[in-house]
Amino acid sequence: MHETIPGARVEGSVMLDGEDLYGAGVDPVLVRRQVGMVFQRPNPFPTMSIRDNVLAGVKLNNKRISKGDADALVEKSLRGANLWNEVKDRLEKPGAGLSGGQQQRLCIARAIAVSPEVLLMDEPCSALDPISTLAIEDLISELKQEYTIVIVTHNMQQASRVSDRTAFFNIAGTGKPGKLIEYNDTATIFGAPTVQATEDYVSGRFG
């Protein structure tokens, strides 16, 4: 996502299957096939139908696909995002016409339609009501059987509910860079952390 931002730079490495994603010769288009992204606020493409939203990534990758295969992929992806039964009779309606929780699940369907290895989620429930949040969390629990999912959240209860392993990041002060404080099994992070700063955060002393 950095290539198109003037002046943006990245240090260090991000390894996926033993390959540095920022290494020389790595095709960013291929990376985007391997790694899906779901943002904080639902962002279905407003001019596209529900069906076309699901197929957007496939078409962007210039994959030729028959109508029959496209229909099957739309259904599979929407079922995977637990949305099919709610929208199957209005696939040609605008994706932007769905509720917030439905839009977020549509974005998840769009992300998994290209069969990524990893799914990144940036606070996917922060703009949603509790019922929609529960639906997304249940979906995450289902999807993690098939995908590696990395989720960023400030909601500690959510982190404890949906994750198998948890990393706690913090900053030393305003304007200073963030750093990894502790990483472990979720039960250990929330029950018996080894770093005092982690203990202070999960116990509610700050944050």
Side-chain angles (χ1 to χ4, degrees):
M1 294 175 66
H2 301 289
E3 294 87 356
T4 59
I5 302 173
R9 65 185 180 86
V10 178
E11 295 180 4
S13 58
V14 176
M15 308 300 293
L16 178 62
D17 296 334
E19 183 175 19
D20 182 7
L21 298 187
Y22 289 118
V26 174
D27 182 357
V29 176
L30 179 59
V31 170
R32 290 173 191 138
R33 286 184 203 146
Q34 294 175 289
V35 184
M37 181 78 195
V38 177
F39 293 92
Q40 185 172 6
R41 293 189 176 277
N43 62 338
F45 299 125
T47 61
M48 289 187 184
S49 66
I50 294 170
R51 182 180 189 277
D52 287 341
N53 261 281
V54 176
L55 295 173
V58 178
K59 292 179 178 178
L60 189 65
N61 288 323
N62 295 319
K63 285 189 177 179
R64 294 188 178 277
I65 185 169
S66 69
K67 184 181 184 304
D69 288 343
D71 290 342
L73 179 60
V74 167
E75 180 174 347
K76 178 184 176 183
S77 301
L78 288 171
R79 284 190 183 278
N82 197 21
L83 188 59
W84 173 253
N85 289 335
E86 297 170 47
V87 302
K88 62 183 179 181
D89 297 323
R90 47 178 173 152
L91 295 178
E92 300 306 322
K93 299 288 186 181
L98 300 174
S99 70
Q102 289 173 325
Q103 287 186 24
Q104 192 65 299
R105 281 181 283 151
L106 176 59
C107 293
I108 292 171
R110 185 176 66 198
I112 64 178
V114 296
S115 300
E117 296 178 40
V118 179
L119 195 56
L120 305 179
M121 295 185 168
D122 180 12
E123 300 210 45
C125 302
S126 66
L128 304 181
D129 61 84
I131 299 301
S132 297
T133 295
L134 177 61
I136 297 295
E137 289 183 1
D138 287 344
L139 178 57
I140 290 171
S141 296
E142 294 173 19
L143 291 176
K144 72 181 183 182
Q145 309 304 319
E146 190 171 349
Y147 304 96
T148 297
I149 298 178
V150 181
I151 177 173
V152 174
T153 180
H154 288 94
N155 184 327
M156 288 185 289
Q157 289 79 16
Q158 182 174 77
S160 66
R161 287 192 298 262
V162 304
S163 67
D164 299 312
R165 298 183 67 82
T166 297
F168 172 51
F169 290 82
N170 199 13
I171 57 174
T174 302
K176 295 186 178 180
K179 64 178 180 178
L180 177 63
I181 305 299
E182 188 169 357
Y183 173 62
N184 213 322
D185 292 335
T186 294
T188 300
I189 289 291
F190 284 93
T194 59
V195 180
Q196 186 61 46
T198 309
E199 166 70 27
D200 290 345
Y201 185 72
V202 300
S203 64
R205 291 193 183 97
F206 78 97

